[in-house]
Amino acid sequence: MPLPGESLFSWVDHLAAVYEVDRTEAMHRLGLEPKTAHAARLARHTAELPLASAKLLHVATGLAPAAIRAMTLLGIVEERDSRPYRLSEMPEAPEEAWAFCPRCVEPPTRWPLWWYRSWAVMCPEHDCYTVSFCPACGSPFSPSNLRGDAPGRCPGFIPLSDEQYRACGKRRPKRKRCGRPLWEITTPPVTDPLVRDTHQRLVRIAVEGPSPPDRQWYDDLRTLRILLNEPNPLRVKAFTSPDPALQERYTTQGRGSMWDDADVNSVAWRATDAGLLYPWRRTSPSTYSMERDPLTTAAVLRVIAAVLASDDTAAAAQRHFKVLRAASLRDFGGNPPSYLFRASDELGALISQALAPDVLDRRRDASSPP
C-alpha cells in the first residue's frame, strides 16, 4: 500500500524494488502503458493521470480511486496533453520533483507528493532545508533521472573540462556519472520561524485543501511570488531574517555578468533583478542554465510572509518591494493566472504599479459582475 501522502512515482518505484523488476516492467504490470513506458512518463503521470490508466491501475492493485488520485498533483483526467494545461494555473506544481531532503532519500527511498511543489523548501521531520541539485556536479534533482541500478545516488554526469571539449583529433570522451550518495549532502538547519510556519501552512493546504481563511492568503502569496519572478516587475528592497543561510541569498547588487571564464566550479551564483541570488549550472564551456534553489525560494517566501503577516499589509508591501517595471500580458504569455485577479485590496496599490494597463484591464474585467 502507498504511504500517506506518497507520490505515484515513489510508490511505483518502491514496488519495482520490492518485486525485483525494473521500473518499466513494474509500470507494465500496473497498466501504466504504453510499452515504451519510462521514468519521464511516470513523472508526467504523477502530475495528472489519464482515466484509462487510472482504471487499469485500480484493477491491478485494488486501490480506491481516491487513493490513486491522492498520489497525483492534479488528479485524474479524461485525456492529458504533453503538459497539463492546469499547470499554467499552478506554476508551483512542476511535472518533476522540485527538491528533496537528503536525510529522507537514503535507500530504500520513498518520497511524498508535496516534494513536487516548488515551495518544498524544508523537511518538517528533520527541520533542515531541502536540496534541488547535487553540489558536486550541479545536476538538478528529478525522479525521472534516478537510476534503478543505483538508488539514492546522483544520476548526473560529471562536466567535461574545456580541454576535453577542444582536444583536436580526438573523439569526445565518454561522460562519467557522478554517483554521489544523495543522503550524504549537507544542508543548513531552518532557524527562521516564519519560514517554518509558512511552509507548514503550505503543506497543509496541499494535503487538505485551503480553508476559507487560507484562500485569500494563498492567492496573495502566489501573486507576490509571480511578481518576483522573471521578468521581475518587483525587487526586494528590505530583507531581514534571523537565518544566516537566507541572508546569504539576498543582495543589494544588481544583475551581474553571466559567467566568469576563470571560474572552474560547475555552479555559480548570480543575482536577478529581484535582488536574490540563484545558482547557475555550467553544462559546457558556452552554455549554462539557472537551477532551482530551495534556500532562495525560502527567502522569497520569508519576505512575502512578512508582508502578509503585517498589521498594515499595504504599507509593508511598499516598504519591502520596489517596482522596477510594469509587467504586460506578453510577460505572462498572454494568460495571467487567475489568482493574480483575486489578490486582496491591501495589495492593490502595489499591483497597480507592477502591472501594465493591458493586464490591469483584464484584471478589472475579471472582477466586474457579469
Side-chain angles (χ1 to χ4, degrees):
M1 294 293 291
L3 298 176
E6 185 175 11
S7 72
L8 178 62
F9 197 113
S10 174
W11 185 60
V12 173
D13 219 35
H14 167 70
L15 291 179
V18 168
Y19 291 102
E20 298 181 342
V21 298
D22 63 35
R23 194 183 292 134
T24 299
E25 177 64 20
M27 292 174 68
H28 174 73
R29 294 185 183 185
L30 294 172
L32 300 175
E33 296 281 17
K35 293 181 179 179
T36 56
H38 48 75
R41 180 174 299 279
L42 183 54
R44 292 195 294 271
H45 285 339
T46 306
E48 62 180 19
L49 188 63
L51 179 59
S53 298
K55 289 180 177 178
L56 292 172
L57 187 59
H58 168 68
V59 171
T61 65
L63 284 177
I68 296 174
R69 186 181 303 111
M71 290 191 288
T72 66
L73 287 168
L74 304 175
I76 300 171
V77 295
E78 290 283 349
E79 296 180 3
R80 74 176 308 281
D81 299 322
S82 58
R83 177 177 174 81
Y85 71 94
R86 283 179 291 167
L87 288 184
S88 62
E89 276 292 289
M90 300 179 66
E92 73 280 8
E95 294 181 64
E96 297 180 348
W98 195 85
F100 68 97
C101 169
R103 296 170 65 182
C104 287
V105 296
E106 186 170 358
T109 302
R110 300 176 76 170
W111 57 89
L113 184 65
W114 63 263
W115 277 8
Y116 285 74
R117 309 285 185 174
S118 66
W119 45 254
V121 299
M122 64 165 287
C123 175
E125 180 179 351
H126 298 112
D127 203 31
C128 63
Y129 287 106
T130 53
V131 179
S132 58
F133 63 90
C134 174
C137 68
S139 299
F141 170 76
S142 169
S144 61
N145 292 332
L146 291 179
R147 302 171 65 196
D149 60 344
R153 294 182 177 271
C154 176
F157 290 100
I158 299 175
L160 296 177
S161 67
D162 219 358
E163 291 74 19
Q164 287 175 301
Y165 271 99
R166 297 178 180 178
C168 297
K170 291 186 178 181
R171 174 181 280 180
R172 178 174 174 171
K174 185 178 180 180
R175 300 183 69 185
K176 296 180 180 179
R177 296 274 186 177
C178 173
R180 176 174 181 169
L182 297 175
W183 63 87
E184 292 183 358
I185 297 174
T186 58
T187 182
V190 179
T191 59
D192 191 317
L194 188 54
V195 170
R196 188 180 296 112
D197 292 345
T198 300
H199 190 267
Q200 290 174 347
R201 190 172 184 177
L202 288 168
V203 171
R204 179 173 54 79
I205 290 173
V207 174
E208 303 174 3
S211 63
D214 287 329
R215 294 184 186 278
Q216 188 62 67
W217 176 86
Y218 191 38
D219 286 338
D220 288 347
L221 182 142
R222 291 190 291 175
T223 292
L224 291 176
R225 187 177 175 192
I226 199 171
L227 294 178
L228 285 168
N229 292 335
E230 294 287 354
N232 297 129
L234 295 185
R235 178 180 178 84
V236 178
K237 65 178 181 180
F239 182 85
T240 57
S241 170
D243 195 327
L246 298 188
Q247 288 285 0
E248 291 177 357
R249 293 298 192 267
Y250 175 69
T251 178
T252 57
Q253 299 178 356
R255 187 188 294 266
S257 59
M258 183 59 73
W259 204 271
D260 179 4
D261 289 337
D263 193 343
V264 297
N265 296 316
S266 58
V267 174
W269 295 88
R270 178 173 178 258
T272 65
D273 286 340
L276 300 162
L277 295 172
Y278 280 88
W280 286 76
R281 181 191 180 204
R282 191 170 196 167
T283 54
S284 78
S286 59
T287 59
Y288 37 80
S289 59
M290 188 169 74
E291 298 283 15
R292 301 165 294 197
D293 180 56
L295 276 168
T296 303
T297 301
V300 172
L301 293 179
R302 206 283 173 193
V303 69
I304 292 175
V307 169
L308 299 183
S310 173
D311 293 333
D312 189 342
T313 302
Q318 297 292 338
R319 184 169 63 252
H320 283 82
F321 302 123
K322 175 183 179 181
V323 178
L324 299 178
R325 62 185 67 84
S328 66
L329 282 175
R330 183 177 180 181
D331 295 322
F332 295 105
N335 186 30
S338 60
Y339 56 76
L340 191 65
F341 304 150
R342 299 194 299 265
S344 62
D345 294 339
E346 287 82 356
L347 296 178
L350 182 71
I351 290 174
S352 65
Q353 301 172 51
L355 299 180
D358 56 354
V359 186
L360 292 174
D361 289 342
R362 181 81 65 88
R363 185 173 186 265
R364 194 175 300 111
D365 293 341
S367 61
S368 301

